[in-house]
Amino acid sequence: MQSDHRIPVTVLTGFLGSGKTTLLNRLLAEAHGQRLAIIENEFGEVNVDSAILVREPAAEIVATENGCLCCTVRGDLNRALVDLGDRRAAGELAFDRVVIETTGLAQPAPVVQTILIDAGLGARYRIDGVVTLVDAKHGDAQLDAHTEAQEQVGFADRLVISKPDLVSEPALTALEARLKDMNPRAALRVARFGDAPVDWITGIGGFDPSAVLDLHPGFPRYTRPAEHTPGVESLVWRSDRPLDRARFDFMLRMINEWYGPDLLRYKGILEFEDDPVRWVLQGVHRQQALTAGPAWVNGEPRGSVLVFIGMGLPRDMLTRGLDKCLAGAAV
């Protein structure tokens, strides 16, 4: 057989909060010798994850926003791949592989289909495989409630269970058994903080459309329309004024207490008063992590942006509450 010189594409998927960005950061930071081009997608009008990703000289990061790759911004995916290919051919970029990180609400079929049925893209790119992450703590409930989570698992070539330290051994074993029953052909690993082997993630070796015909008859020429869980919406809050840390911590506790079960995902970049570093917030339901990021650079525009994704978001409460967390705001 002749060597396939097309650029391999890894599709990284998984429901909201499953740890995709953590795994992607590991791919960017580890010395594996591959130069990566990242296409990063988020559900909502801003892409916080692109600001969280490790910035490596050997990586090119392209963000697609205000929708998900399986429906409203699917054309953006096509344009991003064409642009990357053109710049690579012109010598402006050098990369060995493309990693597409989809929003947690995306179904993988239309993303893969974009490459498989487009002759121009198919001449440049090949799908190496689909990697799906499943949250050990919330995975069962997400699979019960969301079609997107079910299709992400069924479509996978590799399954990664993230955050195993948050559940008991019997619960982890039960989730493994459920995933193997749903998709017996996919290899499965349990990984903390994205520590799955890089070559296991990126060296799948080819996507087999015949393996997903039970999910999508006629694939890749036909996929049923993307159907997202009704009621899922996003809200973006931003400000160029610093936050009062004590007020924000209190507000976050209130959000979790009142609304946590319906809050599928929340994340943001935060500026606190009299603090030289930016802070990164990531949360799923009532679990959250607020970690220090890089220091603000002199002359750099500062401010905060928060994205909430959930069921029936209490927009007025969130917006008014966060506005009162600004330093110096009247309470």
Side-chain angles (χ1 to χ4, degrees):
M1 293 180 62
Q2 293 182 334
S3 297
D4 190 341
H5 298 291
R6 293 176 298 168
I7 304 165
V9 177
T10 300
V11 179
L12 183 61
T13 188
F15 202 71
L16 297 164
S18 59
K20 297 184 296 296
T21 303
T22 299
L23 176 59
L24 187 52
N25 259 330
R26 182 166 179 271
L27 292 179
L28 288 169
E30 190 158 313
H32 46 65
Q34 298 185 65
R35 295 163 296 183
L36 304 179
I38 309 298
I39 298 178
E40 229 284 326
N41 174 231
E42 189 48 270
F43 183 84
E45 63 186 80
V46 298
N47 194 318
V48 172
D49 284 350
S50 62
I52 298 174
L53 290 176
V54 174
R55 296 287 166 166
E56 290 294 323
E60 176 72 16
I61 299 174
V62 178
T64 62
E65 301 167 1
N66 204 24
C68 88
L69 288 177
C70 73
C71 43
T72 57
V73 297
R74 192 168 167 189
D76 288 354
L77 173 60
N78 187 296
R79 286 187 290 273
L81 288 167
V82 169
D83 180 64
L84 284 171
D86 288 345
R87 293 170 67 188
R88 185 178 188 261
E92 298 176 16
L93 293 177
F95 58 88
D96 306 307
R97 169 181 300 274
V98 174
V99 178
I100 300 173
E101 182 194 355
T102 73
T103 173
L105 293 172
Q107 296 171 359
V111 178
V112 173
Q113 183 193 44
T114 297
I115 296 174
L116 292 182
I117 69 172
D118 186 294
L121 292 179
R124 284 179 165 178
Y125 299 97
R126 63 175 178 84
I127 299 292
D128 183 64
V130 177
V131 179
T132 298
L133 278 79
V134 180
D135 185 324
K137 184 172 180 63
H138 301 106
D140 266 322
Q142 291 165 348
L143 288 168
D144 289 341
H146 301 284
T147 302
E148 300 92 336
Q150 298 165 16
E151 296 220 2
Q152 290 162 1
V153 169
F155 220 80
D157 300 289
R158 297 282 190 269
L159 288 166
V160 180
I161 299 179
S162 61
K163 311 175 190 176
D165 51 309
L166 300 181
V167 298
S168 66
E169 193 64 34
L172 183 61
T173 300
L175 179 59
E176 290 183 38
R178 180 177 185 178
L179 296 178
K180 289 176 182 177
D181 184 62
M182 292 178 67
N183 186 347
R185 70 180 182 84
L188 186 149
R189 280 182 179 268
V190 177
R192 296 186 66 218
F193 304 109
D195 62 354
V198 172
D199 58 355
W200 188 80
I201 295 294
T202 62
I204 297 171
F207 174 81
D208 181 9
S210 65
V212 295
L213 289 179
D214 57 332
L215 289 174
H216 292 277
F219 184 88
R221 291 295 172 183
Y222 165 78
T223 58
R224 58 181 176 266
E227 298 175 358
H228 292 306
T229 302
V232 176
E233 54 184 319
S234 67
L235 168 69
V236 178
W237 177 88
R238 61 179 105 211
S239 176
D240 57 6
R241 293 167 54 190
L243 290 158
D244 180 288
R245 179 64 181 265
R247 292 188 190 181
F248 180 79
D249 288 345
F250 177 80
M251 177 64 182
L252 200 56
R253 289 197 299 272
M254 293 303 98
I255 292 172
N256 281 323
E257 180 178 342
W258 298 334
Y259 186 65
D262 291 324
L263 196 55
L264 301 176
R265 186 77 166 101
Y266 50 105
K267 51 193 165 183
I269 306 293
L270 306 175
E271 179 197 8
F272 290 116
E273 185 179 32
D274 300 324
D275 196 320
V277 305
R278 73 196 75 203
W279 288 78
V280 177
L281 173 69
Q282 301 212 54
V284 180
H285 297 302
R286 287 194 172 105
Q287 289 182 297
Q288 60 191 274
L290 186 61
T291 57
W296 295 102
V297 179
N298 287 336
E300 174 186 13
R302 298 190 181 190
S304 300
V305 58
L306 272 167
V307 178
F308 297 91
I309 301 173
M311 308 288 290
L313 290 170
R315 293 176 173 275
D316 186 59
M317 184 272 280
L318 290 171
T319 301
R320 292 175 59 190
L322 289 168
D323 286 345
K324 293 182 182 296
C325 292
L326 295 172
V331 177

